[in-house]
């Protein structure tokens, strides 16, 4: 085999609500890796069809999956069980990162600042529901384990909040109700434990939704952030600490709100398998740091091999 040219099985598609994004992600990663001379076999995968994992030769698995099965620890459990080297976080970190409420509990235990929250369960929801102390209005209501702003809504008052909970609880079973932080929405990519340049997401719409995230061209991504240097340092520290306490490896993306009045930093959530489309934030941040998309994909593939080698000794 030629030196340093790898046989890579790239998994994309899957069974979650984010299937289309995953297919786009997978195609772009495959093209990048092939540019460098790697042999890439792109395949769909599902819990009932794992045949992609049997392909030989295969140096490593590169999952480009989002949401249920691909990102929530199920696939990672299978890959770890089969001793296959793979890109991204392992089962435990993936499972934790997908659960926004459990992640926030871990942040709290580790003194990492996060907005006040509570979980509302369908079987305990009453029509006269009001949010817990410290949340108030407006509040943000979102599913505990969907990505890409799916099912997320800002509610301005009790009527809106109750109405949205009544509508969403039958679908999701439980919802996270979170204090609304008015301020700058930032996202921080982590590559191999270290922060990439911070991005300020300046949406043209009031809320950065699924449309803005993948298709709208009027969302601005700004690297020149109007915050004091000590606040920016706090953001980097909080992001790296979040990646570490969740137990992530290789890459992640941490979403953070900074209060416009106090500059208080609030970690909202972590994404253990961030998107890799042309709109995606981790590739944008890496590019800003001088890491081209092809190089980023190559680095991740090599991290998977490096960590597999370390674990086998």
């Amino acid at each position: 085999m030629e030196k340093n040219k790898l046989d890579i099985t790239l998994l994309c598609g899957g069974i979650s609500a984010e299937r289309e994004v995953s297919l786009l992600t997978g195609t772009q990663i495959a093209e990048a890796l092939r540019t460098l001379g790697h042999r890439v076999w792109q395949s769909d995968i599902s819990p009932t069809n794992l045949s992609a994992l049997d392909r030989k030769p295969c140096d490593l698995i590169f999952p480009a999956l989002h949401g249920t099965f691909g990102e929530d620890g199920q696939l990672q459990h299978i890959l770890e069980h089969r001793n296959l080297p793979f890109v991204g976080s392992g089962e435990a970190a993936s499972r934790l990162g997908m659960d926004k409420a459990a992640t926030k509990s871990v942040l709290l235990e580790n003194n990492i600042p996060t907005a006040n929250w509570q979980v509302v369960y369908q079987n305990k929801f009453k029509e006269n529901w009001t949010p817990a102390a410290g949340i108030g209005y407006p509040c943000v209501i979102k599913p505990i384990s969907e990505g890409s702003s799916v099912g997320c809504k800002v509610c301005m008052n009790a009527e809106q909040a109750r109405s949205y909970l009544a509508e969403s609880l039958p679908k999701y079973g439980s919802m996270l109700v979170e204090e609304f932080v008015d301020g700058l929405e930032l996202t921080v990519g982590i590559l191999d434990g270290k922060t990439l340049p911070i991005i300020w997401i300046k949406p043209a719409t009031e809320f950065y939704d699924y449309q803005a995230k993948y298709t709208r061209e009027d969302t601005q991504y700004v690297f020149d952030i109007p915050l004091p240097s000590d606040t920016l340092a706090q953001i980097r520290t909080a992001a790296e600490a979040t990646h570490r306490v969740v137990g992530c490896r290789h890459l992640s993306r941490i979403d953070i709100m900074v209060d416009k009045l106090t500059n208080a930093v609030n970690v909202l959530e972590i994404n253990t398998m961030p998107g890799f489309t042309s709109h995606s934030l981790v590739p944008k941040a890496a590019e800003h740091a001088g890491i081209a998309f092809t190089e980023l994909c190559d680095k991740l593939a090599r991290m998977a091999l490096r960590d597999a080698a370390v674990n086998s000794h």
Side-chain angles (χ1 to χ4, degrees):
M1 191 172 120
E2 296 168 62
K3 187 177 184 299
N4 278 344
K5 297 290 185 276
L6 304 171
D7 278 295
I8 299 170
T9 297
L10 190 133
L11 305 175
C12 59
I15 58 166
S16 85
E18 298 177 76
R19 178 179 169 81
E20 294 306 313
V21 176
S22 170
L23 290 168
L24 199 60
T25 299
T27 302
Q28 294 192 5
I29 296 172
E31 284 171 3
L33 291 167
R34 287 185 187 121
T35 305
L36 298 172
H38 298 306
R39 288 173 290 277
V40 183
W41 189 65
Q42 208 171 333
S43 174
D44 209 330
I45 190 165
S46 75
T48 53
N49 183 2
L50 301 172
S51 57
L53 304 183
D54 300 325
R55 192 186 74 101
K56 301 279 185 287
C58 172
D59 294 309
L60 68 120
I61 309 285
F62 201 131
L65 296 154
H66 307 295
T68 308
F69 181 66
E71 194 180 357
D72 62 7
Q74 294 183 62
L75 173 66
Q76 290 74 14
H77 172 81
I78 295 162
L79 296 174
E80 285 174 0
H81 194 66
R82 294 191 182 197
N83 284 322
L84 294 167
F86 63 96
V87 172
S89 294
E91 178 191 0
S94 300
R95 206 175 280 284
L96 178 56
M98 265 309 267
D99 184 326
K100 296 184 181 84
T103 298
K104 286 170 78 75
S105 294
V106 169
L107 295 178
L108 200 62
E109 284 162 21
N110 288 276
N111 297 317
I112 299 166
T114 185
N116 289 323
W117 85 98
Q118 73 182 109
V119 177
V120 180
Y121 299 93
Q122 187 184 359
N123 59 353
K124 293 187 178 153
F125 176 65
K126 296 187 173 57
E127 286 181 5
N128 63 349
W129 177 88
T130 53
I135 297 176
Y137 297 105
C139 63
V140 183
I141 301 180
K142 51 191 169 187
I144 287 169
S145 61
E146 286 287 336
S148 291
S149 317
V150 174
C152 190
K153 189 176 173 72
V154 178
C155 296
M156 305 309 290
N157 52 44
E159 190 184 0
Q160 280 186 11
R162 288 169 189 157
S163 160
Y164 188 57
L165 284 169
E167 175 194 326
S168 56
L169 282 168
K171 182 178 178 186
Y172 294 107
S174 58
M175 295 293 278
L176 185 77
V177 180
E178 189 175 57
E179 172 190 8
F180 176 79
V181 180
D182 189 8
L184 270 63
E185 181 168 1
L186 308 172
T187 196
V188 189
I190 303 273
L191 186 63
D192 215 14
K194 296 277 173 262
T195 55
L196 291 168
I198 303 166
I199 297 179
W200 173 24
I201 300 163
K202 255 180 112 173
T205 54
E206 187 181 356
F207 176 67
Y208 183 58
D209 61 5
Y210 193 85
Q211 248 36 59
K213 201 167 269 195
Y214 294 109
T215 56
R216 290 175 68 107
E217 296 288 352
D218 54 4
T219 300
Q220 287 181 288
Y221 303 102
V222 182
F223 287 100
D224 191 14
I225 301 167
L227 287 170
S229 57
D230 62 333
T231 306
L232 293 171
Q234 281 172 26
I235 291 161
R236 283 189 278 270
T237 301
E240 286 184 8
T242 301
H243 179 88
R244 192 173 61 248
V245 302
V246 172
C248 293
R249 62 174 193 178
H250 307 162
L251 80 162
S252 70
R253 203 192 75 231
I254 290 104
D255 295 338
I256 289 176
M257 290 295 299
V258 177
D259 189 295
K260 67 180 183 187
L261 297 177
T262 63
N263 283 347
V265 173
N266 286 279
V267 175
L268 295 185
E269 61 186 82
I270 189 166
N271 201 311
T272 59
M273 188 52 77
F276 255 72
T277 68
S278 55
H279 270 72
S280 298
L281 300 166
V282 169
K284 276 182 196 291
E287 189 181 13
H288 194 75
I291 303 167
F293 187 68
T294 47
E295 189 190 344
L296 179 62
C297 296
D298 187 64
K299 276 180 183 288
L300 289 167
R302 295 186 188 284
M303 283 175 210
L305 283 184
R306 174 199 71 193
D307 291 350
V310 168
N311 292 337
S312 65
H313 293 311

